[in-house]
Amino acid sequence: VTLNKSGNSVLPILQIPYGTYGRVDSNAVDLHILSYAEDGNVAVPNSALVNELRVYFDQYKELLTEVFIKRGFVQRVDILGNVFVDTTADPIQVKYKVEQAVRGLFDSKNRELGEPFYVSKLFEAIEAIEGVAYVDEFAPAQNIFPDSRTLIQLGTLDITLYEAKR
C-alpha cells in the first residue's frame, strides 16, 4: 500500500506518515468472545456460538471488511491465604466478608479481557474489612498479567482464619 500526499488528506490529522507500507489491515476486525455457562460462570464459547456470531456479523459488515470471531480464554487464579482476626470480632462474619470481598475482585462484570490482577488490591480489599487485624502468606504472591484475550477468574478460594497476637 502506498499513501500519497494529497490536499484533502486526513493522514496528517491521524498522524500517519506518507510513504509505502508492506501491508495495511485496516478492514479487519478481531472479536474475542467469552460466554456464560448455565451455572453463571464465565466460559469459553462453543463452536456453535462462534459460528452464529460469525453469520450475524457477516450480514452487517461493510463490503471490504473481514470480521474474525475468536474465542477468549479464562485463566483461573487460586487464592490461598491466612487472615488474622481481632479478638473482639466474630470470625464467622469476618470469613464471610473476606470471601465476598475476594469474589468481588473477580466479578466478571467488573473485569476486562487482559486486565491484570494485582496482589496489592487483594490485600487492600481484605484489610479494609472490619475485624481483620492483618493478612499473611497469600498465594499468588506476584501480580498476574494475562494477554489481551484472557479473562482472569477466581479458581479455588481457601482462607484460613487465626486469632491475631496481641
Side-chain angles (χ1 to χ4, degrees):
V1 173
T2 301
L3 301 176
N4 295 321
K5 192 170 187 176
S6 168
N8 59 358
S9 176
V10 296
L11 297 177
I13 297 169
L14 299 175
Q15 298 180 349
I16 298 174
Y18 300 109
T20 302
Y21 296 89
R23 179 179 169 161
V24 177
D25 289 326
S26 61
N27 294 333
V29 178
D30 288 338
L31 296 175
H32 293 91
I33 61 167
L34 292 169
S35 63
Y36 286 100
E38 290 181 12
D39 63 0
N41 289 322
V42 175
V44 176
N46 59 24
S47 58
L49 178 59
V50 170
N51 287 333
E52 190 173 324
L53 286 169
R54 187 176 293 119
V55 169
Y56 175 81
F57 284 110
D58 274 348
Q59 65 185 341
Y60 294 108
K61 70 178 185 162
E62 292 184 14
L63 186 60
L64 297 175
T65 301
E66 289 187 69
V67 178
F68 299 99
I69 307 296
K70 299 179 179 180
R71 290 182 174 100
F73 298 100
V74 176
Q75 180 179 351
R76 303 267 180 217
V77 175
D78 296 333
I79 302 293
L80 172 69
N82 302 325
V83 175
F84 291 83
V85 181
D86 291 330
T87 56
T88 58
D90 179 8
I92 295 171
Q93 288 294 321
V94 171
K95 184 165 187 169
Y96 174 77
K97 289 178 182 177
V98 166
E99 289 175 352
Q100 291 304 104
V102 172
R103 290 184 199 288
L105 290 173
F106 291 94
D107 185 359
S108 60
K109 294 176 186 82
N110 300 328
R111 295 199 65 83
E112 298 287 332
L113 290 173
E115 181 180 345
F117 172 75
Y118 296 108
V119 176
S120 62
K121 297 289 183 188
L122 177 68
F123 278 79
E124 181 181 302
I126 294 172
E127 289 176 341
I129 296 169
E130 186 177 337
V132 172
Y134 57 94
V135 296
D136 189 26
E137 296 182 19
F138 258 81
Q142 295 181 348
N143 298 329
I144 299 171
F145 299 97
D147 63 23
S148 63
R149 302 170 297 172
T150 303
L151 180 70
I152 293 180
Q153 289 290 276
L154 181 62
T156 304
L157 177 59
D158 187 9
I159 303 291
T160 305
L161 296 183
Y162 295 98
E163 185 177 329
K165 307 271 187 217
R166 287 186 174 233

